[in-house]
Amino acid sequence: MTFAIKRIAGALAAAFAAATLAASFAGAAQAAAPKAPAASAAPISAAPIGAEAPDAKIRLTRVTPAYWKVTFANAPLNIVGPKEVRELVRIVEAIEADQQVQVVVFDSAIPGSFIAHYDLLTPLEESTGMAPGPTGMHPVPDLMVRIARLPIVTISAIRGRATGIGSELILATDMRFASREKAVLSQWEVGAGLVAGGGPMARLPRLVGRGRALEILVASDDINGDVAERYGYVNRSLPDAELDGFVDTMARRIASFERAAIVDTKALVNLASLPPDAEMQPGWDAFIASVKRPATQQRLKALVEQGLQQPGAIEDNLGRATAAYRK
């Protein structure tokens, strides 16, 4: 069984020459791209293998013992696929095991992309064949649940596109702050014939209300930082020049407090606000089923031929690109 794009590899051979669609385009682009610079703070010594390296696709950095950062640096678009999911799982395990960390900030080192979306150029079995996580769910919904249920505070600093699984990850964090000029959020999947797999159907209605959740999910259009703030998709939209300083100040403030008070308070907020874990796995199952539909394969074929998962106009304007498709 292959992923939707691989299943149409023959039709796309001319566009991709000798390369097969079963290979990850994002991985090839990463190999050719310049390495992202190392974070200025000291890497965490007990981090998962690879996460402390300056050229890691996802960097885990200890700013202080109580304040950590997770930085996405998977050039050129911060595509997340099975390999990146496994790396995120290892990072979450490190956070879960540490008794000093109180706040974790998720951000990006790639201009224009927080996380573009899930990798659509890998064989399907690489995703479906992953062993379940501790919750018993597939690692993608498992990861989203575990991030949301971390006992400490998580914050997303959103600059660039947070699309698909990028949106799903920020929805799993406790607070979301967006660049007014540069943040773009969307659940683009329905526009491509897909169903979102990382749980936004469970989270968005609780955050923004039913009508706005359906607008985000079914209209599948790009949403800027200011609209996201008005909807409650993010906490605040800030001028881009102020985003990093604002998030850093808040993270350091939280890191200065007593950990037990943070943990107890978040646990009670979780009781009042988080969706049941059982609502998460059905979204992933629906995503996998949607990938196999012929109509979806045709839409994905058209997007790939136009440049999906390559830097350029399609990735910069996914909302417009999906709406332009004609049968």
Side-chain angles (χ1 to χ4, degrees):
M1 183 165 54
T2 62
F3 205 59
I5 306 303
K6 187 182 178 187
R7 293 179 63 183
I8 58 174
L12 300 177
F16 285 86
T20 66
L21 292 180
S24 171
F25 184 91
Q30 166 68 8
K35 300 300 184 182
S40 57
I44 197 163
S45 58
I49 293 173
E52 70 278 14
D55 61 350
K57 292 182 179 180
I58 306 173
R59 297 200 300 262
L60 176 61
T61 303
R62 182 172 61 187
V63 181
T64 73
Y67 169 18
W68 295 8
K69 276 190 172 184
V70 177
T71 301
F72 298 101
N74 187 18
L77 295 170
N78 270 338
I79 298 289
V80 167
K83 291 180 181 178
E84 291 75 29
V85 168
R86 290 187 181 93
E87 184 64 18
L88 273 170
V89 167
R90 289 191 286 269
I91 288 171
V92 168
E93 288 171 349
I95 297 168
E96 289 172 333
D98 193 272
Q99 296 302 305
Q100 290 184 284
V101 62
Q102 297 181 184
V103 58
V104 177
V105 171
F106 291 82
D107 65 7
S108 170
I110 305 300
S113 289
F114 180 84
I115 295 175
H117 50 72
Y118 197 75
D119 187 354
L120 297 174
L121 300 182
T122 54
L124 183 57
E125 59 266 23
E126 290 190 21
S127 292
T128 59
M130 299 173 75
T135 64
M137 293 184 282
H138 183 276
V140 170
D142 173 85
L143 182 66
M144 301 307 172
V145 165
R146 290 169 69 188
I147 290 173
R149 296 195 179 278
L150 285 169
I152 49 82
V153 174
T154 54
I155 300 173
S156 294
I158 308 157
R159 178 179 285 109
R161 297 191 68 90
T163 308
I165 197 170
S167 169
E168 293 155 9
L169 187 140
I170 67 167
L171 288 170
T173 61
D174 300 321
M175 305 180 203
R176 293 159 294 283
F177 299 99
S179 164
R180 182 167 296 155
E181 300 93 335
K182 297 183 179 180
V184 180
L185 293 82
S186 86
Q187 295 290 164
W188 72 295
E189 289 88 349
V190 168
L194 298 163
V195 176
M201 290 79 74
R203 299 200 192 281
L204 276 169
R206 291 169 168 87
L207 282 174
V208 305
R210 184 174 185 271
R212 285 173 169 171
L214 285 168
E215 177 188 344
I216 293 165
L217 290 161
V218 178
S220 302
D221 207 353
D222 293 342
I223 295 175
N224 65 32
D226 282 344
V227 173
E229 179 188 65
R230 290 200 298 273
Y231 278 22
Y233 203 162
V234 301
N235 291 55
R236 303 192 201 187
S237 172
L238 298 156
D240 186 70
E242 299 177 13
L243 176 64
D244 294 334
F246 178 90
V247 171
D248 184 72
T249 297
M250 177 172 284
R252 291 179 186 277
R253 175 180 173 85
I254 293 169
S256 73
F257 296 156
E258 294 297 325
R259 192 178 195 272
I262 294 169
V263 170
D264 290 348
T265 299
K266 180 173 173 180
L268 293 169
V269 173
N270 285 354
L271 287 175
S273 61
L274 286 184
D277 293 355
E279 293 186 19
M280 302 296 287
Q281 180 66 37
W284 178 259
D285 295 339
F287 167 70
I288 294 300
S290 70
V291 165
K292 303 173 186 176
R293 290 196 282 260
T296 300
Q297 294 176 19
Q298 288 301 311
R299 287 180 178 269
L300 290 173
K301 175 181 182 292
L303 288 168
V304 170
E305 288 174 336
Q306 295 172 66
L308 188 71
Q309 288 196 207
Q310 304 178 55
I314 295 300
E315 287 289 352
D316 291 344
N317 300 281
L318 270 178
R320 188 185 309 163
T322 55
Y325 175 80
R326 296 293 181 269
K327 295 181 181 179

